[in-house]
Amino acid sequence: MGSLLKEYRPVLKFIATFLGVYFFLTIAYKFYLDFSDGSLYYPDYFSNLVGKQTVKLLEVFGYQAELVKSNQPVLNLVINNKNLAFISEGCNGVSIIILFTSFIMSFAKDFKTTFIYIICGSVLIYIANLLRIVIIAIALYHYPWREEILHNVIFPGLIYSLVFVLWMFWVYRFDKYKTANYEN
């Protein structure tokens, strides 16, 4: 049994680190959401920020856009006076960034490299997510009958593909275990 634990130690360490970081960040984010009362930023700061930035980008592309508070914890996105979609907590990208960060921490190199990669990757994911929302909004404005495939298949596939590529780049470029585990 001891030899099995020794042999699979890197795998077990990866799983334990991933789950530990993921649960810690998820619980911290849940507390943040629970204590966001929506009085200053509705429904919460990150969702509000994504909503405002979505409106600004839509305006850059020539659409008249606005956010309207709802009786639910969401912001309704109105384009050219057409209530098109809503932006909720699930749209802000924080959960995807938590997943990304958990994986990167599981293959942590030195603190500085890991921290910089998490920050850069998180910014890239945030920007990609924001562009995803803008493109979905424009597509829904013009092709509302494609909502299911756009929102539930194509764009989640794109954002998770980006996360996967960032993970693979990290593992093959910066993994501290790579040379130690594969040279033997």
Side-chain angles (χ1 to χ4, degrees):
M1 182 68 161
S3 65
L4 278 176
L5 287 176
K6 186 177 180 182
E7 183 178 349
Y8 293 108
R9 185 172 186 257
V11 173
L12 296 172
K13 183 179 181 211
F14 166 82
I15 292 169
T17 304
F18 177 84
L19 291 175
V21 172
Y22 183 78
F23 286 125
F24 173 77
L25 292 176
T26 300
I27 289 168
Y29 183 54
K30 170 127 176 56
F31 278 123
Y32 157 77
L33 290 173
D34 289 345
F35 290 107
S36 276
D37 65 357
S39 59
L40 190 54
Y41 298 103
Y42 183 83
D44 64 87
Y45 176 77
F46 293 110
S47 301
N48 187 282
L49 181 63
V50 167
K52 287 179 178 179
Q53 291 170 336
T54 298
V55 166
K56 293 292 184 197
L57 281 173
L58 285 167
E59 289 171 349
V60 166
F61 290 115
Y63 294 89
Q64 178 189 2
E66 65 178 315
L67 294 173
V68 179
K69 285 185 180 181
S70 171
N71 56 359
Q72 300 293 321
V74 299
L75 294 167
N76 289 319
L77 180 60
V78 178
I79 297 179
N80 296 341
N81 298 319
K82 183 178 178 183
N83 192 2
L84 190 64
F86 63 86
I87 297 175
S88 68
E89 173 276 323
C91 300
N92 65 24
V94 173
S95 296
I96 297 169
I97 292 170
I98 287 172
L99 183 67
F100 167 76
T101 300
S102 301
F103 184 89
I104 300 305
M105 292 293 293
S106 300
F107 281 100
K109 190 176 167 68
D110 59 274
F111 176 79
K112 181 180 176 184
T113 304
T114 303
F115 181 75
I116 290 171
Y117 194 80
I118 287 171
I119 296 299
C120 292
S122 296
V123 168
L124 186 60
I125 291 167
Y126 183 87
I127 291 168
N129 184 60
L130 186 60
L131 291 173
R132 173 188 77 95
I133 295 168
V134 169
I135 294 169
I136 287 174
I138 292 170
L140 288 177
Y141 181 77
H142 294 286
Y143 310 104
W145 59 90
R146 301 282 188 211
E147 176 182 4
E148 183 72 26
I149 195 164
L150 289 169
H151 186 267
N152 297 337
V153 178
I154 294 172
F155 286 101
L158 292 174
I159 197 81
Y160 284 110
S161 294
L162 170 64
V163 172
F164 181 75
V165 167
L166 289 170
W167 285 346
M168 291 299 99
F169 182 76
W170 175 255
V171 168
Y172 288 109
R173 177 76 171 98
F174 297 110
D175 179 18
K176 69 179 176 184
Y177 299 113
K178 184 169 61 175
T179 53
N181 289 335
Y182 297 113
E183 286 182 353
N184 295 334

